[in-house]
Amino acid sequence: MSASTVETAAAPQTLALIDLPDAVRDTLGRELAAEPDPTLDIDRTMARYHQIFGGLPLDRLQQILDFGRHNETPGVGYVRNLPVDPELPATPANGGPARDKKTFVAEGVLLGLSGLLGEPVGFLTEKKGQLVHDVIPVKGGATTQTNQGSTVFLNFHNDIVHDAVGRYDVSNPDFLVLSCLRADHEGVAATHYADARDISRALDSRTLELLRSPLFRLNAPGSYVRDVAGGREVLSDPVAMISGPEQFPEISSSANGVRAMTTAAEAALDRLQAACRETAHQVFLRPGEALLINNRKGLHARTSFTARYDGADRWLQRTYVRRSQWSIRYRQTDGDRRVHY
């Protein structure tokens, strides 16, 4: 099996493969390399990226646009043969961002794809509100259930956002985009995606009934617990893990822990994790590859790997994307209309 093999046998209809022709990759690369740091004027930059990515072949462009706007489309898209920066600085030891990056091709790929799905947004409790997140192993966070981790399996989850209203599945991103700048040394770090449609088909009716009941409390994200709550648990109101129509279910789970409220719910939670492993697609991201992840249709995870903290460790970039910022306008900061509390 090659390094970029995708396991699709379980449910191929929930994963989309999107390959760009070499000529398209090269044209994108030239145009993105000519663009400045996108954070200098993000709204102008997003408009420019729309122009650039509007030149994709029509079938690929429609495939990405449809991914972000229709209920029945796959929950994860695997985009390959994207342009890369001609050279990269050392992987930042502190979790980024890199201060000495000379070109911004990777950022252009990330934000350009994000713009086809919705609008990139930030939250102050995640990477200090940055729109581009550098996902890098950090020595002090190696064993944590966060994007700094490496030595532990990062549990199946979606990216949730702490909210004082008691629901952590309301303000969360609709989509994530993950783009690879540098793979881990051994090439063993895999990203998994388990779609709620596949998960539901794999569960017995009693387990599914329990998971659709408000018998669970999600812990706040690890970054919030670490930076704001001083390490203590901050649990949501009781929620169901799976909700919505049977044909188009939505699923919610926190990487930092889910507390089942009954013994039966605890057993259902264990079965859910097993179903995720049984049905998940597996991708080994390499430079020039990205994942489009629907953050409501499914859960994602990451396998463990060995970080060396030598400047050549695994380096991904991530964006949070919302189809609309209107429903989270109560969280908008005064300083930046894309950044929220």
Side-chain angles (χ1 to χ4, degrees):
M1 186 180 298
S2 66
S4 292
T5 296
V6 181
E7 306 289 350
T8 61
Q13 72 274 17
T14 52
L15 182 145
L17 296 177
I18 307 168
D19 290 309
L20 300 187
D22 289 352
V24 173
R25 175 202 62 203
D26 294 344
T27 299
L28 278 177
R30 286 193 299 271
E31 293 184 314
L32 292 174
E35 294 299 312
D37 182 346
T39 63
L40 299 177
D41 187 346
I42 186 62
D43 289 325
R44 180 265 175 202
T45 297
M46 291 305 299
R48 175 61 181 137
Y49 289 161
H50 274 297
Q51 284 187 324
I52 294 173
F53 278 79
L56 289 177
L58 182 59
D59 59 340
R60 271 66 158 204
L61 181 60
Q62 183 181 350
Q63 194 175 9
I64 297 172
L65 290 171
D66 285 354
F67 176 90
R69 62 191 175 191
H70 293 306
N71 295 328
E72 71 277 7
T73 51
V76 62
Y78 185 23
V79 189
R80 301 185 291 195
N81 206 30
L82 290 158
V84 298
D85 288 283
E87 61 178 283
L88 284 177
T91 301
N94 64 354
R99 301 300 180 188
D100 52 351
K101 198 166 180 287
K102 297 177 181 178
T103 55
F104 301 94
V105 175
E107 290 79 1
V109 165
L110 187 77
L111 291 168
L113 292 172
S114 299
L116 298 179
L117 303 179
E119 291 297 330
V121 298
F123 295 91
L124 292 179
T125 54
E126 186 62 39
K127 299 289 186 179
K128 300 179 181 179
Q130 295 161 197
L131 299 184
V132 174
H133 304 166
D134 293 282
V135 179
I136 295 169
V138 176
K139 187 175 293 186
T143 62
T144 63
Q145 287 289 317
T146 70
N147 62 73
Q148 296 182 354
S150 56
T151 62
V152 295
F153 183 86
L154 180 58
N155 296 327
F156 281 95
H157 66 285
N158 46 13
D159 282 39
I160 63 174
V161 178
H162 173 265
D163 199 312
V165 304
R167 294 292 297 263
Y168 300 169
D169 56 348
V170 174
S171 300
N172 56 329
D174 296 316
F175 304 97
L176 315 177
V177 179
L178 279 176
S179 181
C180 181
L181 285 72
R182 180 175 283 141
D184 61 293
H185 289 281
E186 288 78 25
V188 299
T191 302
H192 295 261
Y193 182 85
D195 194 283
R197 291 164 287 187
D198 295 333
I199 293 168
S200 295
R201 284 193 292 267
L203 296 170
D204 63 89
S205 59
R206 175 55 178 160
T207 298
L208 192 55
E209 179 186 5
L210 288 164
L211 292 169
R212 282 183 166 274
S213 302
L215 298 172
F216 308 90
R217 302 183 71 187
L218 310 181
N219 199 4
S223 55
Y224 182 91
V225 169
R226 179 186 66 239
D227 299 336
V228 179
R232 65 180 176 87
E233 279 191 330
V234 184
L235 297 175
S236 72
D237 291 343
V239 295
M241 301 286 288
I242 299 176
S243 60
E246 180 179 350
Q247 187 179 3
F248 305 123
E250 180 171 341
I251 189 166
S252 300
S253 185
S254 170
N256 203 36
V258 177
R259 300 292 172 256
M261 298 171 64
T262 68
T263 55
E266 184 69 43
L269 189 58
D270 291 342
R271 181 68 190 101
L272 171 64
Q273 287 293 322
C276 287
R277 288 177 169 82
E278 293 165 11
T279 63
H281 304 289
Q282 178 177 261
V283 174
F284 296 88
L285 281 172
R286 298 291 181 262
E289 298 180 349
L291 286 180
L292 315 177
I293 296 176
N294 190 303
N295 196 45
R296 299 188 183 278
K297 289 182 180 179
L299 306 177
H300 56 283
R302 189 218 64 233
T303 61
S304 61
F305 62 98
T306 300
R308 300 182 187 175
Y309 312 110
D310 60 355
D313 274 325
R314 186 175 190 251
W315 185 359
L316 304 185
Q317 287 183 334
R318 179 185 68 190
T319 48
Y320 285 165
V321 182
R322 293 273 305 192
R323 288 294 288 177
S324 171
Q325 298 191 70
W326 179 252
S327 61
I328 59 170
R329 61 192 184 277
Y330 64 96
R331 300 183 60 131
Q332 182 178 311
T333 61
D334 294 332
D336 191 326
R337 58 189 173 186
R338 292 182 182 269
V339 178
H340 306 268
Y341 291 109

